[in-house]
Amino acid sequence: DTLWDLAIAEVEKRENPDDDGKHVEVWEKSILFMGNKNGGKTTIILRCLDREEAPKPTFALEYTFGRRARRHNAPKDIAHFWELGGGTSLLELIRIPITSNNVRSFGVVLVLDLSKPNELWTTMEKLLQVTRNHVNKILSKLEKTNPEVATEIKQRMRNSLQRDHPDYELVDPFPIPLVIIGSKYDIFHEFDSETRKIISKTLRFVSHYYGASLVFTSKSEALLVKARVLINHLAFGYDKSKSVSVDHSKPLFIPAGLDSLSQIGPPPAPDSDIGKMRANTPLELWKKVFEKTFPPKSFCDLQDTKDPAEDLQYAEYEVDVMRAQKNQELEQYKRNASKSWKEMDFDSD
């Protein structure tokens, strides 16, 4: 052994005195949080990491991490938490955290604002569609460079349901582990019963169809704990709860694989209306039914997006002074260029 090998062995022995020289594998996972703008993503992340600090607006893509030890004197497992800000306005940034190097250990948490049903389907569809397309491109490349890993990921995707589940052939699982969180349940709970039922049934179907877990939460500590259970399962491999709550008058809590199409029932619309709707997939049919009750609201996340350079939490005096100077130079250049163009003579045919 080289001196370097001996040094590594000594450090591992000191950190893990009870392992008798056995190597302990460190669990390392990554999770991307995305969803409605101002939907509560940051609050959920802070609670998962036991951080008692006020949430700040997320600009673009932000990163943090958490560490947990499975037992005393064991090395701490690591979870990388990425948060996509801006709602659906920065979709192209999804490709940054999810790469061919970490897709095997990646999961997604989609946070949907239950208080905004007219934005719900559009937000969900855009974010999941772009994420799925990106992951599928990575899997296509892995099939050529590392087919064993690609096969493992695809097989794990199908394992979200047991083979003997009656819906095994009827669903289309998301390519990587997915948790859907319905936030702001405290506001949602004030909606009328029929509205809550339609939204709850629809999200149950979507979650089951994608092989995802579903939980409703709010700032309530009791509800945040339930969301934390599902996230800790993704991030640190903690046991996944087997409890289920499907009562539409209460917060939903349904771990992946524990629901069924027969329990969810048909789309909430009269049979005469469903018969008139043309849909190629069950998901498309549920979309048409949902959007008939909650027409998609025309909105643009970019309209309310502020320039991060103007935010005080990112203030740096030297950088800001230089930026202001360069902005002045740019404006001066534009004025000079405009004058020179006006003074030019162009030959007319």
Side-chain angles (χ1 to χ4, degrees), residues 310-334:
E310 304 297 328
D311 194 280
L312 294 178
Q313 66 175 314
Y314 301 115
E316 292 186 51
Y317 179 75
E318 292 83 359
V319 174
D320 294 339
V321 169
M322 182 57 69
R323 188 171 190 265
Q325 179 182 326
K326 292 299 180 182
N327 284 339
Q328 289 179 353
E329 292 175 2
L330 177 61
E331 290 303 319
Q332 185 62 46
Y333 172 80
K334 288 179 179 178

Side-chain angles (χ1 to χ4, degrees), residues 14 26 57 60 70 86 91 141 156 176 202 207 214 236-237 239 254 305-308 313 315 317 319 338 342:
R14 291 179 182 179
V26 174
R70 276 173 275 185
L91 294 173
K141 292 180 181 178
R156 185 184 63 191
I176 55 179
T202 301
S207 299
L214 174 65
F236 300 105
D239 290 339
I254 313 172
T305 302
K306 298 178 181 178
D307 184 354
Q313 66 175 314
Y317 179 75
V319 174
S338 177
K342 289 178 180 178

Side-chain angles (χ1 to χ4, degrees), residues 162-297:
Q162 297 294 326
R163 284 189 173 275
D164 59 354
H165 195 288
D167 304 332
Y168 186 78
E169 298 295 337
L170 303 176
V171 298
D172 185 18
F174 205 67
I176 55 179
L178 172 65
V179 171
I180 297 178
I181 296 178
S183 66
K184 301 188 180 179
Y185 179 79
D186 50 336
I187 300 175
F188 173 77
H189 187 61
E190 301 299 320
F191 291 175
D192 66 81
S193 176
E194 190 60 27
T195 297
R196 294 201 311 269
K197 183 178 179 180
I198 294 172
I199 296 172
S200 296
K201 284 191 67 171
T202 301
L203 287 180
R204 279 182 66 187
F205 171 80
V206 170
S207 299
H208 184 61
Y209 189 75
Y210 282 137
S213 297
L214 174 65
V215 60
F216 283 1
T217 190
S218 68
K219 292 182 179 179
S220 159
E221 185 63 26
L223 293 185
L224 279 170
V225 165
K226 289 192 172 185
R228 185 174 174 175
V229 167
L230 295 177
I231 295 171
N232 278 338
H233 172 69
L234 273 188
F236 300 105
Y238 288 12
D239 290 339
K240 182 170 63 174
S241 174
K242 293 183 179 179
S243 66
V244 177
S245 175
V246 296
D247 187 344
H248 298 143
S249 65
K250 299 177 182 178
L252 298 184
F253 181 82
I254 313 172
L258 299 184
D259 210 343
S260 69
L261 295 176
S262 61
Q263 289 179 319
I264 297 169
D271 292 341
S272 57
D273 289 348
I274 292 178
K276 298 176 183 177
M277 295 179 180
R278 296 183 178 181
N280 296 320
T281 65
L283 187 68
E284 190 176 336
L285 177 61
W286 277 81
K287 176 184 177 179
K288 288 180 180 294
V289 171
F290 184 82
E291 292 189 340
K292 185 174 182 179
T293 305
F294 305 105
K297 181 181 176 183

Side-chain angles (χ1 to χ4, degrees), residues 45 62 90 147 209 220 279:
I45 292 173
E62 295 197 1
L90 301 170
Y209 189 75
S220 159

